[in-house]
């Protein structure tokens, strides 16, 4: 499908990078631009050179995939056609108001509204984001936070896609947006109970680390805001929230392996912060407030899979903590929710979500029943405290998502909403899913969840898309996707690999896939690929792989290690220049991730990271067909990582396979902001795989 146009060749300018006596030559280091260079009206010579290269790659991508454009449009319309355009969320009740998020036909963005006291009451539109977004290539509105008296709403806007939000306040009675403007924040904010004091987290303008908590008094200049807490340790970030009881403002400091919480009374925003338990390395904890106790999820006392403890409000340090739910070797304790009469626990056993309901008085203790082989279930935020009803979601790879209200007292349930799949073609009975257990090379068993159309024959000619993430302990659940149907209906099998680096099989599954164990993440993925081939599900000519961000690092590692296994790979916003990024503490997120990847200022970690860093391990050999995507304003993985990676791959690869770099010049890590614009990106990705399968006409 390629046309005979020469790929861009990036200029080589040797930059010598030296650490621990080891010299690396980076010929494409020049592609790195500062924010000032990107934002300057008059671009200097280097900036122009970078823009010219990125634009040349985009033009090459467009030329080479021109034959797919009509198909992409068809895919987009097909995927859009499954979505209920005039959709709305299940209303949730908080402080005498029902809150609703809804979409209108043709609208890219949501409308946030509320109704007082009853769903029959008149709708009050808080924000029509379609109007707010007019004139912006990218627009994100978030951080909605209503004051206790229901009169004001704080909100945050990002129009660049670097996750640097500007907080403002709107009067919900008059519609007036106040002059108060607080820039460079995380977007989140918390009202004190006086309805005029707002707490928020500010970001370091260079590293984008959330490092300071400020207090803003409505009607005063942001320049006069008072610093409440500054996180001096650059391996920690900081955030502010409020307990469900509304009694405390909470300031949390977090790193990969340690946490610390401080509180002050929400009724007295000028009070001093009180530390619950001073930070200790390898001591993690989260808090909630109920009655006269703090409840604490923690790994204290070697509780690798975490346990629940409690401590009196006036004696909060760890020597006062006592067990509520003890540690269990076979069950990973993920989260908990507190209600007046009930404690709700979210657990994971053998990879599957469990929701446990327990009365405080001990009269009931049971699990919600789920009967599919693999599924995803999770508890909503449930802001109301004095209720017997818990709201949760349920879906699987074959079952669309449902929002369910469950009465914890009489055990009745009401399905409040089932995801509608429009278009008239979807029937759950046409799809099958199962969970395979793949033997890893070291004897561990890796869960591999697969789904396909029931008519798809599993042979060496079957196309399989294998997906994974595998970092930060983040677990991708086995959920439903309307867009994925466009692949399944064309004979693809979708395989989700629950590799080490996630917490699918508990905390040890994560520990065994980070730091000096990171390569287990990559070999697990490869072992799943080999299993699919060996068991006759597919063959290298029809096996595809995809991952994004740290999952893009995964893609880079596996194609260096075993490129022959895959016909095509998509690496979305990939973290591929690991050693250089982790040595540069001016880059966003670097210092906070030393406990995920290791600190390469230490020679042992330097050598280990270098041994798998995709950019450093490129060799002269054949690589699969590849599509690499990035965003110019990405704050998580800077655009120059994938740009340099593609340039070096072009220089080294010995094959004639496709290699494309597509840079969104208007967006960042999350891609496009509108709900339909994001579908266009998915259509591009699917078209790439279907092009390689020769299915552009179907």
């Amino acid at each position: 499908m390629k046309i005979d146009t020469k790929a861009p060749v990036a200029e080589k300018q040797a930059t010598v990078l030296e650490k621990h006596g080891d010299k690396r030559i980076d010929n494409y280091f020049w592609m790195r631009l500062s924010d000032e260079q990107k934002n300057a009206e008059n671009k200097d010579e280097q900036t122009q050179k970078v823009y010219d290269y990125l634009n040349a790659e985009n033009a090459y991508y467009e030329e080479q995939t021109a034959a797919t454009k009509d198909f992409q449009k068809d895919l987009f319309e097909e995927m859009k056609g499954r979505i209920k355009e005039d959709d709305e969320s299940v209303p949730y009740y908080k402080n005498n108001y029902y809150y609703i998020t809804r979409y209108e036909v043709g609208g890219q963005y949501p409308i946030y509204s509320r109704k007082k006291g009853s769903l029959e009451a008149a709708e009050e539109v808080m924000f029509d984001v379609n109007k707010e977004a007019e004139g912006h290539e990218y627009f994100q509105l978030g951080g909605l936070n209503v004051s206790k008296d229901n009169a004001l709403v704080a909100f945050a806007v990002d129009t660049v896609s670097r996750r640097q939000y500007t907080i403002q306040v709107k009067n919900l009675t008059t519609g007036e947006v106040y002059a108060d403007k607080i820039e460079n924040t995380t977007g989140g904010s918390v009202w004190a109970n006086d309805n005029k004091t707002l707490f928020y987290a500010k970001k370091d303008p260079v590293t984008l680390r959330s490092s300071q908590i400020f207090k803003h008094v409505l009607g005063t200049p942001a320049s006069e805001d008072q610093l409440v807490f500054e996180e001096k340790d650059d391996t920690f970030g900081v955030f502010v929230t409020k307990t469900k009881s509304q009694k405390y403002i909470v300031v949390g400091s977090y790193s990969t392996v340690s946490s610390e919480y401080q509180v002050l009374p929400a009724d007295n925003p000028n009070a001093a912060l009180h530390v619950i338990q001073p930070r200790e390395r390898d001591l993690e904890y989260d808090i909630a407030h109920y009655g006269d106790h703090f409840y604490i999820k923690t790994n204290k006392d070697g509780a690798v899979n975490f346990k629940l403890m409690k401590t009196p409000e006036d004696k909060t340090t760890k020597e006062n903590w006592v067990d509520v739910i003890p540690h269990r070797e076979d069950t990973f304790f993920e989260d908990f929710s507190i209600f007046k009469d009930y404690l709700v626990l979210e657990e994971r056993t053998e990879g599957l979500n469990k929701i446990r309901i327990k009365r405080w008085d001990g009269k009931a203790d049971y699990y919600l029943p789920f009967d599919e082989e693999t599924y995803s279930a999770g508890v909503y935020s449930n802001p109301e405290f004095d209720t017997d009803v818990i709201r949760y979601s349920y879906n699987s790879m074959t079952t669309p998502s449902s929002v369910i209200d469950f009465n914890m007292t009489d055990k009745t349930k009401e399905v409040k909403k089932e995801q509608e799949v429009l278009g008239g073609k979807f029937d759950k009975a046409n799809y099958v899913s199962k969970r395979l257990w793949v033997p890893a090379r070291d004897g561990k068993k890796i869960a591999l969840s697969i789904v396909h159309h029931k008519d798809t024959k599993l042979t060496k000619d079957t196309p399989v898309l294998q997906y994974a993430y595998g970092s930060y302990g983040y677990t991708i659940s086995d959920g439903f996707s309307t867009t994925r149907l466009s692949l399944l209906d064309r004979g693809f099998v979708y395989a989700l690999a629950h590799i080490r680096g996630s917490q699918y099989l508990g905390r040890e599954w994560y520990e065994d896939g980070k730091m000096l164990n990171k390569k287990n993440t990559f070999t697990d993925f490869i072992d799943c690929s080999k299993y699919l081939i060996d068991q006759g599900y597919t063959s290298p000519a029809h096996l595809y792989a995809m991952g994004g961000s740290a999952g893009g690092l995964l893609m880079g590692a596996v194609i260096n290690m075993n490129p022959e296994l895959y016909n095509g790979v998509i690496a979305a916003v990939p973290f591929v220049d690991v050693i250089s990024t982790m040595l540069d503490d001016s880059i966003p997120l670097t210092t906070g991730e030393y406990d995920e990847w290791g600190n390469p200022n230490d020679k042992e970690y330097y050598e280990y990271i270098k041994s798998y860093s995709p950019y450093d391990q490129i060799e002269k050999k054949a690589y699969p067909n590849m599509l690499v995507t990035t965003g110019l304003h990405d704050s998580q993985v800077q655009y120059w990582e994938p740009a340099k990676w593609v340039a070096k791959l072009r220089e080294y690869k010995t094959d004639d396979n496709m290699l494309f770099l597509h840079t969104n010049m208007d967006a960042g890590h999350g891609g496009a902001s509108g709900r339909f614009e994001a579908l266009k990106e998915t259509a591009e990705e699917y078209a790439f795989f279907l092009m390689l399968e020769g299915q552009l006409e179907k």
Side-chain angles (χ1 to χ4, degrees):
M1 208 55 67
K2 293 188 295 182
I3 59 176
D4 189 18
T5 303
K6 286 191 175 179
V9 176
E11 180 181 318
K12 291 166 68 172
Q13 298 176 14
T15 299
V16 180
L17 304 171
E18 185 172 359
K19 190 73 179 178
H20 305 299
D22 177 49
K23 290 184 179 179
R24 293 177 298 130
I25 307 298
D26 188 347
N27 288 319
Y28 305 106
F29 189 86
W30 61 268
M31 292 187 185
R32 174 177 174 171
L33 297 176
S34 67
D35 285 346
E36 289 75 17
Q37 287 173 298
K38 282 190 291 182
N39 296 329
E41 280 191 35
N42 298 313
K43 295 180 174 57
D44 59 33
E45 185 178 347
Q46 183 197 356
T47 305
Q48 192 59 53
K49 191 182 296 183
V50 172
Y51 272 68
D52 288 347
Y53 170 69
L54 296 177
N55 286 325
E57 284 284 3
N58 279 350
Y60 175 69
Y61 167 71
E62 295 296 331
E63 288 172 359
Q64 294 290 301
T65 59
T68 72
K69 295 307 176 187
D70 287 343
F71 182 62
Q72 285 183 35
K73 290 177 185 174
D74 291 344
L75 273 178
F76 167 74
E77 292 298 336
E78 178 180 297
M79 292 187 287
K80 183 181 175 186
R82 296 192 193 103
I83 297 172
K84 190 172 188 289
E85 288 199 50
D86 54 342
D87 202 7
E88 70 175 45
S89 66
V90 179
Y92 71 87
Y93 187 75
K94 183 178 182 181
N95 196 18
N96 203 33
Y97 277 85
Y98 286 95
Y99 288 89
I100 303 161
T101 303
R102 62 180 178 83
Y103 288 89
E104 293 183 342
V105 174
Q108 289 269 18
Y109 296 94
I111 295 168
Y112 296 105
S113 66
R114 67 179 186 171
K115 296 182 177 183
K116 186 175 183 179
S118 163
L119 288 173
E120 312 307 315
E123 180 186 52
E124 301 175 24
V125 173
M126 299 191 295
F127 295 98
D128 182 343
V129 186
N130 298 288
K131 293 178 181 176
E132 306 282 342
E134 288 176 3
H136 297 283
E137 289 290 339
Y138 178 92
F139 190 87
Q140 193 70 44
L141 183 141
L144 300 190
N145 169 32
V146 177
S147 59
K148 193 174 182 182
D149 64 2
N150 292 314
L152 306 170
V153 60
F155 65 99
V157 170
D158 172 16
T159 58
V160 179
S161 187
R162 274 184 75 77
R163 303 185 184 182
Q164 291 172 286
Y165 287 86
T166 298
I167 294 175
Q168 295 179 263
V169 175
K170 182 176 184 177
N171 185 309
L172 290 171
T173 303
T174 66
E176 178 189 0
V177 175
Y178 293 154
D180 307 60
K181 254 189 183 180
I182 308 166
E183 297 182 340
N184 192 34
T185 77
T186 61
S189 62
V190 176
W191 288 102
N193 291 344
D194 63 0
N195 304 302
K196 67 177 183 180
T197 306
L198 199 63
F199 291 80
Y200 63 91
K202 218 169 171 57
K203 289 190 168 187
D204 182 291
V206 177
T207 67
L208 302 188
R209 178 175 72 93
S210 55
S211 56
Q212 297 173 317
I213 302 297
F214 279 89
K215 180 171 57 179
H216 175 76
V217 177
L218 206 58
T220 65
S223 58
E224 295 179 6
D225 289 358
Q226 184 179 337
L227 179 66
V228 175
F229 174 71
E230 181 167 16
E231 181 52 72
K232 298 290 181 65
D233 186 333
D234 64 6
T235 67
F236 279 74
V238 67
F239 65 92
V240 63
T241 185
K242 196 177 191 179
T243 58
K244 187 174 176 178
S245 66
Q246 302 294 305
K247 185 172 180 179
Y248 291 103
I249 304 288
V250 181
V251 172
S253 295
Y254 62 93
S255 73
T256 305
V257 299
S258 177
S259 49
E260 179 181 77
Y261 286 85
Q262 305 175 74
V263 297
L264 61 84
D267 285 337
N268 183 9
N270 296 317
L273 284 167
H274 163 74
V275 179
I276 298 291
Q277 160 61 37
R279 67 189 67 181
E280 294 179 10
R281 184 166 179 84
D282 297 321
L283 175 64
E284 298 176 65
Y285 70 98
D286 292 312
I287 66 167
H289 174 253
Y290 172 59
D292 53 6
H293 283 78
F294 286 105
Y295 284 75
I296 302 164
K297 174 194 158 194
T298 181
N299 65 350
K300 183 178 178 289
D301 307 321
V304 176
N305 279 331
F306 292 84
K307 62 179 177 177
L308 185 65
M309 306 184 80
K310 70 175 183 178
T311 194
E313 278 180 305
D314 57 351
K315 296 178 181 176
T316 61
T317 48
K318 66 179 184 178
E319 64 271 13
N320 300 295
W321 299 2
V322 296
D323 281 5
V324 177
I325 304 291
H327 177 255
R328 289 153 293 168
E329 295 288 340
D330 64 346
T331 298
F332 180 51
F333 175 36
E334 291 191 316
D335 205 355
F336 67 106
S337 304
I338 285 177
F339 297 84
K340 181 182 177 184
D341 295 323
Y342 291 92
L343 170 66
V344 176
L345 307 165
E346 292 181 79
E347 305 171 350
R348 191 180 287 271
T349 305
E350 294 182 343
L352 297 180
N353 300 119
K354 309 281 187 182
I355 298 176
R356 181 180 177 187
I357 313 291
K358 184 178 173 66
R359 279 190 65 97
W360 290 113
D361 61 13
K363 291 180 180 177
D365 187 350
Y366 59 92
Y367 286 89
L368 295 185
F370 303 121
D371 54 11
E372 290 189 83
E373 181 178 353
T374 180
Y375 59 86
S376 174
V379 175
Y380 271 68
S381 59
N382 292 282
E384 282 298 292
F385 173 72
D386 188 3
T387 178
D388 291 342
V389 175
I390 181 174
R391 177 167 293 171
Y392 70 94
S393 64
Y394 178 88
N395 70 122
S396 74
M397 285 182 147
T398 59
T399 306
S401 181
S402 293
V403 177
I404 300 162
D405 278 1
F406 179 82
N407 188 301
M408 296 179 281
T409 301
D410 63 22
K411 299 186 181 179
T412 58
K413 72 177 184 180
E414 179 185 359
V415 178
K416 302 297 289 186
K417 181 180 181 180
E418 288 182 357
Q419 180 182 4
E420 293 184 58
V421 183
L422 304 184
K425 295 180 180 178
F426 175 75
D427 181 351
K428 174 184 173 180
N430 286 333
Y431 304 89
V432 294
S433 72
K434 61 182 174 180
R435 194 166 55 149
L436 310 172
W437 289 95
V438 177
R441 60 192 67 186
D442 64 355
K444 298 286 177 71
K445 291 291 179 71
I446 310 152
L448 182 64
S449 302
I450 68 171
V451 61
H452 58 84
H453 195 282
K454 67 176 184 180
D455 296 336
T456 297
K457 301 286 188 285
L458 303 177
T459 73
K460 64 181 178 57
D461 297 321
T462 305
V464 173
L465 173 57
Q466 184 180 329
Y467 186 89
Y469 185 71
S471 291
Y472 304 107
Y474 180 70
T475 300
I476 299 178
S477 295
D478 295 341
F480 186 77
S481 165
T482 60
T483 56
R484 191 190 301 145
L485 296 173
S486 292
L487 288 180
L488 303 186
D489 290 348
R490 290 173 171 82
F492 265 74
V493 175
Y494 179 80
L496 175 58
H498 298 290
I499 55 183
R500 276 173 278 190
S502 76
Q503 294 182 123
Y504 187 80
L505 293 177
R507 182 68 175 197
E508 288 184 358
W509 200 243
Y510 171 40
E511 299 291 342
D512 214 15
K514 70 172 189 173
M515 303 287 276
L516 297 174
N517 296 319
K518 189 64 210 169
K519 288 181 185 176
N520 287 333
T521 300
F522 316 138
T523 57
D524 280 0
F525 191 89
I526 290 166
D527 290 346
C528 286
S529 299
K530 290 180 175 178
Y531 181 87
L532 289 167
I533 293 166
D534 293 344
Q535 297 298 312
Y537 284 86
T538 189
S539 61
H542 299 283
L543 180 57
Y544 302 92
M546 183 174 178
S549 195
L553 160 63
L554 170 67
M555 295 299 101
V558 301
I559 64 165
N560 281 333
M561 295 165 76
N562 287 93
E564 76 285 354
L565 295 177
Y566 310 97
N567 186 36
V569 171
I570 292 181
V573 292
F575 176 37
V576 283
D577 190 13
V578 188
I579 194 74
S580 293
T581 291
M582 292 307 297
L583 280 169
D584 187 347
D585 60 13
S586 73
I587 293 177
L589 308 182
T590 292
T591 54
E593 305 209 343
Y594 288 152
D595 290 315
E596 178 72 28
W597 312 102
N599 184 346
N601 292 296
D602 178 323
K603 188 178 181 184
E604 180 183 22
Y605 287 106
Y606 175 90
E607 291 174 347
Y608 186 77
I609 294 171
K610 185 185 174 185
S611 73
Y612 68 74
S613 176
Y615 184 66
D616 295 281
Q617 295 303 317
I618 294 173
E619 297 174 330
K620 289 192 179 297
K621 60 185 177 186
Y623 284 91
N625 295 285
M626 292 179 62
L627 169 60
V628 181
T629 64
T630 187
L632 182 65
H633 301 290
D634 197 327
S635 62
Q636 309 294 106
V637 178
Q638 308 298 317
Y639 73 88
W640 61 77
E641 291 199 37
K644 288 166 46 176
W645 186 46
V646 168
K648 190 173 179 181
L649 280 167
R650 287 209 192 286
E651 178 188 352
Y652 278 72
K653 76 190 193 81
T654 59
D655 57 84
D656 292 324
N657 289 330
M658 302 175 189
L659 174 59
F660 302 134
L661 172 67
H662 186 207
T663 304
N664 186 326
M665 303 299 281
D666 298 311
H669 200 64
S673 56
R675 59 173 173 158
F676 300 134
E677 289 304 311
L679 284 183
K680 290 178 182 176
E681 294 179 351
T682 303
E684 280 188 48
E685 294 164 350
Y686 285 5
F688 177 73
F689 291 132
L690 290 161
M691 173 176 65
L692 294 173
E693 277 296 304
Q695 290 199 39
L696 290 189
E697 308 309 317
K698 296 183 183 179

